[in-house]
Amino acid sequence: MRIAHIAPVIHPVPPATYGGTERVIADLATEQVAAGHEVAVFAPADSMLAGVKQIGTYHSLTWHKARHDDVPPGVPAELEACQLRDVLTRGSEFDVLHLHGSAHASAAAEQLGIPAFRTIHWRADELDHREHFRAFPGERVIAISESQARSVPAGSLAGVVHHGIPADRYRQGSGSGSYLAFLGRMTDQKRPDRAIELARLAGRDLQLAGPVDPGNPDYFDRVVAPSLGERIRHVGSIDDQGKQAFLGEAAALVFPIDWPEPFGLVMIEAMACGTPVIGWRQGSVTEVVDEGVTGIVVDSVEEAAARVGEVITLNRSTIRARFEERFSAGRMAEQTLALYREACSSRSSRLSSARSPSP
């Protein structure tokens, strides 16, 4: 098959550090190439993905911010306009278009008449998505969790495919560190303050990794910074190599979200390192965490503190094995390709029927 992914214009594909959406696109495209398909990505020019054709001469917003102190607010729209032009002029070269970014490319995909899929890497129950479903009823949505799928109209839902990552990206860690780990944006949705409170109640060290949220820039200074000290540290953004040590040596990952997160990639990254997860009962957490096997699901900081001793005794080899069973990139690609094939087969049947002479 000839497959094109349409990425956001925010980060390159794959991202250097933070950027879960771009990481998923990179892993999915790489697995599709390995399966023998011709794959392209409509993405910023600073993207570098081996074996995948990159289409786009514009640079990512991250690239612009690294080179300019003050990026004009209109730049993201200009980048999306460049990408839209590329989709309109090059999209017909492909059998399937898979959209991952904002909604600007949906109209182009609809006009091209090619099977179009959309993965929403965010919650799907907000007004803009509800309006989008009404405007583009023929676009097939691949939900990333059953939790997210409940917000997608039945007529738009192609199926549910959980995220996956390559099995060799991380290895089982030692868990030799006594600290709890938090990895995510410093914002009220991710609730690092809950991780801080948990560490204090449990008498554990805590290491926080992740960027200050550009959409909520004062949260870190107001909520996180005052708590930092010898036992609670912020180590900033980390890359894949950094995650291996950070997650692999942690006693447990704390995932204390306060919003219906549609997946939560860091949970399976921790599992790939054999590290158990303490997750709050929100969004997809109960789908991703196998209670008592790969972690625990809690409803409060107090419950989490009472069960820390339980979670750190979970078998790290079993956690790693469950990750390989449920969350490999190969499984993600296989399930996604099956949805593509179904759509292309239906389209071929319709075209064949339209060309057949009337009896």
Side-chain angles (χ1 to χ4, degrees), residues 1-354:
M1 297 179 71
R2 297 169 301 168
I3 302 163
H5 294 279
I6 303 174
V9 298
I10 308 301
H11 302 295
V13 179
T17 54
Y18 196 81
T21 298
E22 292 79 7
R23 174 61 67 192
V24 170
I25 296 169
D27 291 339
L28 180 55
T30 298
E31 289 292 332
Q32 290 171 341
V33 168
H37 302 280
E38 181 183 330
V39 183
V41 58
F42 288 86
D46 42 321
S47 300
M48 292 188 297
L49 196 55
V52 176
K53 180 189 298 183
Q54 182 271 331
I55 300 174
T57 57
Y58 51 91
H59 286 82
S60 69
L61 185 60
T62 301
W63 184 92
H64 285 279
K65 286 182 175 179
R67 286 157 179 79
H68 305 284
D69 293 333
D70 186 20
V71 178
V75 167
E78 292 173 6
L79 301 179
E80 289 184 343
C82 292
Q83 186 180 72
L84 182 58
R85 176 197 59 206
D86 293 338
V87 174
L88 284 167
T89 56
R90 301 285 302 276
S92 59
E93 299 173 15
F94 302 95
D95 300 313
V96 168
L97 299 178
H98 192 153
L99 287 62
H100 299 268
S102 57
H104 65 279
S106 294
E110 184 179 68
Q111 289 301 308
L112 291 169
I114 298 168
F117 291 83
R118 186 167 182 236
T119 295
I120 302 168
H121 298 265
W122 191 254
R123 60 190 298 177
D125 60 338
E126 295 177 319
L127 178 61
D128 57 341
H129 290 301
R130 296 200 301 271
E131 292 294 336
H132 186 91
F133 297 143
R134 283 193 285 267
F136 300 98
E139 191 172 77
R140 301 160 178 83
V141 176
I142 301 177
I144 58 178
S145 64
E146 296 290 348
S147 173
Q148 186 194 63
R150 288 193 284 272
S151 299
V152 179
S156 298
L157 184 65
V160 175
V161 177
H162 285 144
H163 287 330
I165 58 177
D168 61 355
R169 175 165 297 152
Y170 304 109
R171 63 185 184 280
Q172 183 179 322
S174 65
S176 58
S178 61
Y179 63 89
L180 302 175
F182 170 95
L183 178 56
R185 286 177 290 114
M186 299 294 132
T187 187
D188 52 355
Q189 293 174 327
K190 301 290 188 178
R191 295 299 300 267
D193 60 305
R194 282 179 173 171
I196 292 169
E197 185 180 358
L198 168 58
R200 286 174 172 163
L201 286 176
R204 291 263 173 181
D205 291 350
L206 173 68
Q207 293 191 22
L208 301 152
V212 174
D213 187 355
N216 192 4
D218 67 335
Y219 179 86
F220 181 84
D221 291 333
R222 287 188 300 102
V223 178
V224 178
S227 299
L228 299 180
E230 184 177 345
R231 303 202 65 180
I232 299 175
R233 299 193 302 120
H234 178 238
V235 300
S237 295
I238 53 177
D239 58 15
D240 288 339
Q241 184 177 358
K243 286 180 186 178
Q244 175 63 65
F246 180 77
L247 294 172
E249 295 174 10
L253 171 75
V254 185
F255 193 68
I257 56 170
D258 197 14
W259 72 297
E261 182 134 8
F263 189 78
L265 200 61
V266 67
M267 290 190 287
I268 66 172
E269 291 176 330
M271 293 174 194
C273 296
T275 300
V277 177
I278 302 172
W280 263 243
R281 197 181 309 277
Q282 287 271 13
S284 67
V285 170
T286 57
E287 296 175 50
V288 177
V289 175
D290 291 322
E291 176 74 35
V293 179
T294 59
I296 60 172
V297 181
V298 301
D299 294 295
S300 68
V301 173
E302 291 75 18
E303 181 185 359
R307 299 182 66 187
V308 165
E310 170 192 346
V311 76
I312 64 175
T313 63
L314 295 177
N315 187 281
R316 298 179 79 93
S317 295
T318 300
I319 295 171
R320 169 69 193 193
R322 188 61 62 92
F323 155 75
E324 293 177 359
E325 176 187 333
R326 295 191 59 202
F327 298 115
S328 71
R331 184 272 316 156
M332 172 177 64
E334 182 179 344
Q335 292 179 345
T336 302
L337 285 163
L339 297 176
Y340 292 171
R341 291 190 186 101
E342 181 181 350
C344 289
S345 176
S346 299
R347 180 171 183 258
S348 296
S349 297
R350 290 195 303 270
L351 292 175
S352 177
S353 299

